[in-house]
Amino acid sequence: MRRLLTIARALRACAKTLALLMGGIGVAAAQDARVETQRVEDTPRIETLRLTGSVSAPRTSQLSSAEAGQVASLDVALGDRVSQGERLMALDSREAELERQRAQANIDQARADRDDARQRLNEANQLSAQQNIAASEQRRRQNSLAAAEALLDARQTEYALWELRISRHTITAPFDALITQRDSELGEWVTPGDTLMTLVDIDALRLDFPVPFSAYGRMDDATLEIRLEGDTRWYAARPQARVPQDATSRQFLLRAEPAEALSLLPGMALEGRLLLEGETGPSVPRDALIRRPDGSVSVWLARQEDDAWRAYEQRVEIGSGHEGNVAILDGIEVGDRVIVVGNERLEEGQTLSLIDDD
């Protein structure tokens, strides 16, 4: 009996404790939930189009020689930075030098013949004034001078040709660039058309992205941002050209350049996002969204009833997001007051205390 009385007292104590706890819960539930809200505004809807691209070098030059010859000097190595006009390599030009010397000697001979013909014509002109020479002899000497002058011109052209051929034995950089490949070695015999080395202008790189044709007509107001592989920061880029490609790909090439200096190399992979402006409509901060296990999405709205604010859950259909805001395609209207802070544990119809009550 004594044991039964002890058990009964224990049960009564537990009941009192449970009643106190339930009363406390009821008081907590009766308290207003403190929340922060925001008016839904009519804002431009930004569609984000994800892109995958790469870095390319529009100025890439595979150098070759216009003359055949043996490589006499190599002045640069793989990976060197070179400036426009800087000597890269030279071919053996000794044979061409000898031909230029012969051409110079021919010029000297032709100039002497021209001077002799001019002197003979001057003498004929003086004799003609004294009527001591026939007109036919005077014409013959005029023709001899003309022939001598023509031969001198030919010899000078021949000399200029050898000057040009000698200059072609030296390969120079056509622009500021990086040596990315060298295909010739000292002492090697090269012929015209052989690739000697490859230069890439890494200071004028371009960003290439294939983009669906559906975005072609919306590019005028589009914004492009890029992110390097492994980086978390987005960088602004300036679109430069839109180049249609093969119609079967249903894409066009978007070529852009970075808006700020970045450490880029040809062939690097890039991630891009193209921000396309669309029609205006309601949007809410991402923090206002409640995602349910069944895949549905809802927001909590604050509505005023009988001088009190109450919480009501509203399912919504969402669109694309940008900079922390998400477009709402259906479910709410502009002017609604959506709860953005304190929406984790609300109940339908629960009274609210608005932090930002205006």
Side-chain angles (χ1 to χ4, degrees):
M1 179 65 70
R2 199 174 285 175
R3 180 178 295 178
L4 291 175
L5 289 174
T6 302
I7 294 173
R9 290 193 190 100
L11 289 175
R12 284 196 296 272
C14 291
K16 289 180 180 179
T17 302
L18 181 60
L20 289 174
L21 291 174
M22 293 300 293
I25 293 174
V27 171
Q31 292 179 349
D32 293 350
R34 291 177 59 81
V35 298
E36 183 177 335
T37 65
Q38 181 175 312
R39 291 283 186 184
V40 177
E41 297 181 351
D42 189 22
T43 58
R45 288 175 173 168
I46 304 297
E47 179 185 350
T48 301
L49 187 61
R50 296 284 180 172
L51 306 174
T52 300
S54 61
V55 181
S56 66
R59 288 216 296 180
T60 299
S61 180
Q62 293 182 324
L63 300 184
S64 60
S65 172
E67 299 290 334
Q70 190 177 39
V71 178
S73 68
L74 283 171
D75 304 291
V76 294
L78 186 66
D80 284 354
R81 291 291 300 266
V82 297
S83 302
Q84 182 178 4
E86 181 178 343
R87 191 174 97 158
L88 307 178
M89 62 181 297
L91 305 182
D92 185 358
S93 61
R94 288 176 296 178
E95 182 178 350
E97 293 279 359
L98 293 174
E99 291 291 348
R100 181 176 63 176
Q101 292 178 18
R102 179 190 298 177
Q104 181 63 59
N106 291 336
I107 288 177
D108 295 339
Q109 179 64 49
R111 184 176 289 115
D113 293 342
R114 191 260 335 251
D115 293 342
D116 182 64
R118 180 177 295 167
Q119 179 64 32
R120 289 171 59 81
L121 177 60
N122 291 336
E123 293 174 353
N125 290 336
Q126 294 175 1
L127 293 174
S128 175
Q130 301 173 5
Q131 298 182 351
N132 293 328
I133 189 171
S136 59
E137 178 63 19
Q138 187 177 14
R139 286 195 300 272
R140 187 181 67 80
R141 294 186 183 188
Q142 288 176 343
N143 293 337
S144 296
L145 175 60
E149 289 177 340
L151 181 60
L152 177 59
D153 289 341
R155 297 305 188 190
Q156 289 174 334
T157 300
E158 182 182 5
Y159 180 85
L161 178 60
W162 281 110
E163 284 278 355
L164 175 62
R165 295 190 63 177
I166 289 174
S167 68
R168 287 176 175 174
H169 283 69
T170 301
I171 311 300
T172 59
F175 48 80
D176 296 351
L178 175 73
I179 306 295
T180 61
Q181 188 171 341
R182 203 182 73 177
D183 301 294
S184 56
E185 296 296 337
L186 195 65
E188 182 179 356
W189 182 269
V190 298
T191 57
D194 292 344
T195 300
L196 305 179
M197 59 183 64
T198 302
L199 279 68
V200 175
D201 183 0
I202 62 174
D203 295 323
L205 298 177
R206 294 293 180 265
L207 318 175
D208 292 339
F209 295 94
V211 182
F213 268 126
S214 57
Y216 191 86
R218 304 167 62 186
M219 289 297 301
D220 291 342
D221 298 321
T223 300
L224 177 63
E225 295 178 343
I226 63 169
R227 183 165 64 184
L228 303 179
E229 190 174 17
D231 199 350
T232 58
R233 179 184 169 188
W234 290 94
Y235 302 89
R238 292 186 292 265
Q240 296 293 312
R242 288 172 276 173
V243 184
Q245 295 180 307
D246 187 356
T248 58
S249 67
R250 303 186 184 277
Q251 293 178 327
F252 67 93
L253 174 67
L254 174 62
R255 173 159 286 180
E257 64 177 8
E260 56 186 285
L262 299 176
S263 297
L264 301 175
L265 287 175
M268 288 181 98
L270 291 173
E271 182 181 356
R273 61 182 183 185
L274 194 61
L275 309 179
L276 303 169
E277 289 192 12
E279 298 179 353
T280 60
S283 63
V284 299
R286 196 177 301 274
D287 291 339
L289 300 178
I290 305 296
R291 299 181 184 273
R292 301 300 183 187
D294 62 358
S296 63
V297 181
S298 63
V299 297
W300 284 98
L301 299 178
R303 292 175 179 165
Q304 194 170 23
E305 297 179 351
D306 300 330
D307 296 328
W309 287 97
R310 297 186 180 276
Y312 293 96
E313 188 175 10
Q314 176 64 48
R315 287 199 174 190
V316 293
E317 181 182 349
I318 63 174
S320 59
H322 178 61
E323 294 184 347
N325 291 326
V326 179
I328 303 299
L329 305 180
D330 187 38
I332 62 174
E333 298 179 354
V334 174
D336 285 345
R337 189 184 287 268
V338 64
I339 300 173
V340 295
V341 177
N343 56 354
E344 298 84 2
R345 293 182 177 85
L346 294 177
E347 296 181 4
E348 190 77 9
Q350 182 176 357
T351 57
L352 305 171
S353 175
L354 274 57
I355 300 175
D356 56 338
D357 188 7
D358 55 2

